[in-house]
Amino acid sequence: MNVSFSTNSLGIPANSSRNRLMSLRENTKSSEEWKSSTKRETLGSLEGELAKLLSTSSAEKLELNRTELSGFRNLFARFLRAKPTVDWQKIEPLPEGSIRPYKNLTPVTDRDLIAAQLNKLVVVKLNGGLGTSMGCKGPKSVISVRNDLTFLDLTMQQIQTLNKTYGVDVPLVLMNSFNTNEDTEKVLRKYANVKVSVHTFSQSQYPRINRETLMPIVKSLEGEDNECWYPPGHGNFYEAFHNSGLLDKFLADGKEYCFLSNIDNMGATVDLQILNFVLNPTAGQVQPEFLMEVTNKTRADVKGGTLIQYEGRLMLLEIAQVPKDYVDEFKSISKFRIFNTNNLWAKLDAMKRVVKENQLEMEVIVNPKHLDRGLDVIQLETAAGAAIKSFRGAVGINVPRARFLPVKKTSDLLLLMSNLYDIDNGSLTLSHQRSFPSTPLVKLGSSFDKVKDYLARFNGSPDLLELDHLTVSGDVWFGKDVSLRGTVIIIANHGERIDIPPGSILENKIVSGNLRILEH
């Protein structure tokens, strides 16, 4: 008996090809069902652990703890559902008008209009971070930035000046974490006579998860140490602000928008043109419920999150969501030209809607940690800017670099403490004496990582007005009244020390080896 087979273009019998394809689909379906089943079991186990935790709560904290653990449960469920990275092929070009140039915004000069608009504003500063990365204890906001003034001092000055200048009452809200709340409340006492209405609330406190079991490492809500808990990133702002009661309070007070930014970003001042843009849209313009300030990337910003169009909506893309094969493309300044400053403007009633209706769809960031006790854990976090896709009419504004002056390292502190910046009523602006608008690229070695060591190694801030690039590595010490110009590279090899003498002018110099000039 002759049996004939038709073949496809690959030379595989058609029946065999179909059978294999059906088998593959069945296997894939079986794998997906197994994964879904495993995730359901994991979520069920977590819910059981959270129920046990809640049973350890005191009566007076029961409702608060129930709300917190419910929020954590929802975040964990999103973590189980989410794909770790985006589908790179689904990224679309940004629609026209989705990012507007700052220079096209309408200037506002009418004092009465400015006052009316300011009275609709709430300023929120993210104040949950500690200064541990720079060797400081307590809230980062109490690190001295300029003339012994801290981030918090300068912020209070800025708001007080606005309120006095326009006869308004713009409130300042600090979102603390359980790490910073107590210390911040103590510091705020010194501002008793400052004419700024200050409000505080704490973001959520979520349990750290064992990396192996995916279960909380905490066993009781009473008496456990802080190492078992973590603040879940600034994306928690929306829910925590709503749960604090402050969102409803400000809506009742007639406030319409909040301006949210990091307290360590000294460029994040209230901008009257952006405020006018969100409150007073031009004809045919939809009022944006959410606005993100973005700025142009430089070589120092290649890891910053950027805005993309994804599945028909604006989305914040962070480097953690980028497939490994496309990380270099993500870092490309020519393809992704802007990044998120985390200066965000959000409409208060829209914020209430997305929280109440559970519409927030922020991507989950998995942050691994190794505890002192030797345990590997993960923290599930979200970023505030990721909420952009949950709001209607969201836009980006490409702002000048001057609106992004964060202090993450002592190299940032060096710039702000120097004569590069003038200070006026708490606001820092680039000195008019600098002949070009860009800021220098500064790289300080590990000897400068801690604020205490950094301050010891600089005998007063050097003159940086004509500096382009500074790299310092090793055991280097700077005398008083040093001027650094152009490109300066100073490298002390292991076991060597370099002392830059007082009054030195280094212009386009490379200094290496062992240099020590002592005064007699």
Side-chain angles (χ1 to χ4, degrees):
M1 184 172 71
N2 293 326
V3 179
S4 63
F5 293 93
S6 63
T7 60
N8 56 23
S9 59
L10 297 176
I12 301 171
N15 289 350
S16 172
S17 178
R18 275 196 296 272
N19 290 340
R20 288 183 189 178
L21 187 59
M22 288 173 66
S23 176
L24 180 64
R25 284 174 178 166
E26 285 172 4
N27 288 338
T28 303
K29 186 178 178 184
S30 175
S31 295
E32 291 304 318
E33 286 174 353
W34 182 81
K35 287 178 185 176
S36 297
S37 171
T38 303
K39 288 177 181 179
R40 284 195 299 272
E41 288 173 8
T42 303
L43 184 57
S45 297
L46 178 94
E47 289 170 341
E49 289 296 310
L50 296 183
K52 289 179 191 174
L53 268 181
L54 196 58
S55 70
T56 68
S57 172
S58 61
E60 62 268 23
K61 291 184 180 178
L62 183 62
E63 283 311 308
L64 173 62
N65 287 330
R66 193 192 306 278
T67 300
E68 291 280 274
L69 293 180
S70 174
F72 173 72
R73 182 261 174 215
N74 293 338
L75 180 61
F76 188 86
R78 289 213 309 277
F79 156 68
L80 291 178
R81 288 197 306 270
K83 292 180 180 177
T85 59
V86 298
D87 183 340
W88 201 252
Q89 310 310 320
K90 288 186 176 180
I91 296 177
E92 307 161 33
L94 285 168
E96 190 173 345
S98 56
I99 297 181
R100 316 283 178 92
Y102 177 84
K103 64 183 180 182
N104 290 356
L105 299 186
T106 305
V108 193
T109 54
D110 186 301
R111 287 181 60 86
D112 291 338
L113 176 61
I114 292 171
Q117 292 182 342
L118 284 171
N119 275 324
K120 295 177 181 178
L121 182 68
V122 177
V123 173
V124 182
K125 294 291 181 179
L126 299 168
N127 187 47
L130 296 169
T132 48
S133 63
M134 294 196 291
C136 298
K137 294 180 179 178
K140 192 175 184 181
S141 55
V142 299
I143 295 175
S144 291
V145 182
R146 188 74 176 265
N147 304 335
D148 292 325
L149 295 173
T150 66
F151 292 110
L152 194 51
D153 291 334
L154 294 169
T155 300
M156 293 290 283
Q157 278 193 33
Q158 292 169 14
I159 305 297
Q160 183 184 41
T161 301
L162 259 187
N163 287 342
K164 280 185 175 179
T165 303
Y166 295 102
V168 294
D169 181 19
V170 175
L172 173 65
V173 180
L174 301 176
M175 184 174 88
N176 302 324
S177 68
F178 65 86
N179 291 317
T180 63
N181 194 55
E182 190 176 335
D183 288 339
T184 300
E185 293 294 344
K186 289 176 184 174
V187 170
L188 287 174
R189 294 172 193 161
K190 75 174 184 177
Y191 304 112
N193 298 318
V194 177
K195 295 195 179 305
V196 177
S197 302
V198 182
H199 306 263
T200 64
F201 70 101
S202 276
Q203 68 179 113
S204 296
Q205 180 174 324
Y206 286 171
R208 281 174 163 157
I209 303 165
N210 186 310
R211 197 174 74 179
E212 297 299 323
T213 65
L214 293 184
M215 292 298 116
I217 64 172
V218 64
K219 300 305 175 190
S220 172
L221 294 177
E222 302 296 324
E224 287 278 349
D225 62 77
N226 281 350
E227 199 180 40
C228 294
W229 302 91
Y230 75 98
H234 42 64
N236 177 240
F237 161 70
Y238 308 99
E239 290 168 299
F241 189 47
H242 174 270
N243 294 341
S244 72
L246 285 172
L247 177 54
D248 283 333
K249 173 200 157 29
F250 289 128
L251 282 169
D253 290 345
K255 306 297 183 183
E256 293 185 21
Y257 273 83
C258 76
F259 171 47
L260 175 73
S261 61
N262 298 332
I263 199 160
D264 67 1
N265 180 6
M266 294 316 304
T269 56
V270 172
D271 186 281
L272 300 178
Q273 289 178 222
I274 296 178
L275 179 62
N276 179 64
F277 176 80
V278 295
L279 283 172
N280 187 27
T282 54
Q285 164 77 41
V286 176
Q287 185 175 38
E289 292 183 344
F290 192 97
L291 183 147
M292 176 186 289
E293 294 184 37
V294 298
T295 196
N296 292 337
K297 271 187 181 182
T298 68
R299 285 174 298 160
D301 313 306
V302 292
K303 293 183 180 179
T306 191
L307 279 182
I308 60 171
Q309 181 83 350
Y310 192 76
E311 296 182 337
R313 291 189 292 181
L314 274 184
M315 172 184 163
L316 174 64
L317 178 65
E318 301 279 9
I319 193 167
Q321 299 160 258
V322 177
K324 286 182 181 178
D325 292 346
Y326 297 97
V327 168
D328 288 341
E329 192 174 332
F330 172 81
K331 291 179 178 179
S332 164
I333 295 174
S334 58
K335 177 156 186 177
F336 297 100
R337 297 180 180 179
I338 51 94
F339 72 98
N340 169 32
T341 64
N342 216 38
N343 299 347
L344 310 171
W345 302 70
K347 200 163 186 285
L348 295 180
D349 59 1
M351 194 189 305
K352 181 171 181 177
R353 182 192 74 239
V354 298
V355 173
K356 290 282 284 182
E357 297 180 7
N358 202 26
Q359 293 175 341
L360 283 171
E361 296 179 39
M362 292 176 287
E363 287 71 30
V364 180
I365 301 165
V366 180
N367 187 0
K369 295 281 183 181
H370 183 76
L371 303 186
D372 292 340
R373 65 179 80 172
L375 191 63
D376 288 318
V377 298
I378 58 173
Q379 300 177 177
L380 304 180
E381 303 173 7
T382 55
I388 189 167
K389 65 181 184 181
S390 301
F391 290 85
R392 298 166 187 160
V395 295
I397 296 286
N398 193 340
V399 298
R401 180 71 183 204
R403 290 192 58 74
F404 185 68
L405 296 175
V407 178
K408 305 298 182 188
K409 298 176 287 191
T410 53
S411 53
D412 302 319
L413 207 53
L414 173 64
L415 297 178
L416 294 191
M417 290 178 119
S418 75
N419 58 348
L420 262 181
Y421 289 94
D422 298 325
I423 185 168
D424 181 33
N425 292 315
S427 296
L428 277 75
T429 53
L430 197 64
S431 172
H432 294 298
Q433 294 181 55
R434 184 166 172 83
S435 53
F436 36 94
S438 62
T439 54
L441 182 62
V442 175
K443 298 177 180 178
L444 299 179
S446 57
S447 302
F448 295 82
D449 280 352
K450 309 303 181 190
V451 171
K452 183 180 176 183
D453 296 333
Y454 155 79
L455 292 173
R457 288 174 178 275
F458 281 97
N459 188 359
S461 292
D463 172 4
L464 305 182
L465 281 174
E466 297 178 41
L467 178 70
D468 295 325
H469 178 111
L470 172 67
T471 293
V472 183
S473 177
D475 190 11
V476 180
W477 299 75
F478 291 81
K480 208 170 184 183
D481 300 324
V482 170
S483 290
L484 304 172
R485 302 171 183 173
T487 296
V488 178
I489 299 172
I490 307 170
I491 299 173
N493 296 325
H494 182 68
E496 298 177 340
R497 168 171 169 157
I498 294 178
D499 284 75
I500 306 299
S504 298
I505 298 174
L506 300 181
E507 183 170 2
N508 296 322
K509 295 286 185 189
I510 297 176
V511 180
S512 63
N514 189 29
L515 174 67
R516 193 170 189 186
I517 299 176
L518 302 176
E519 294 182 13
H520 296 284

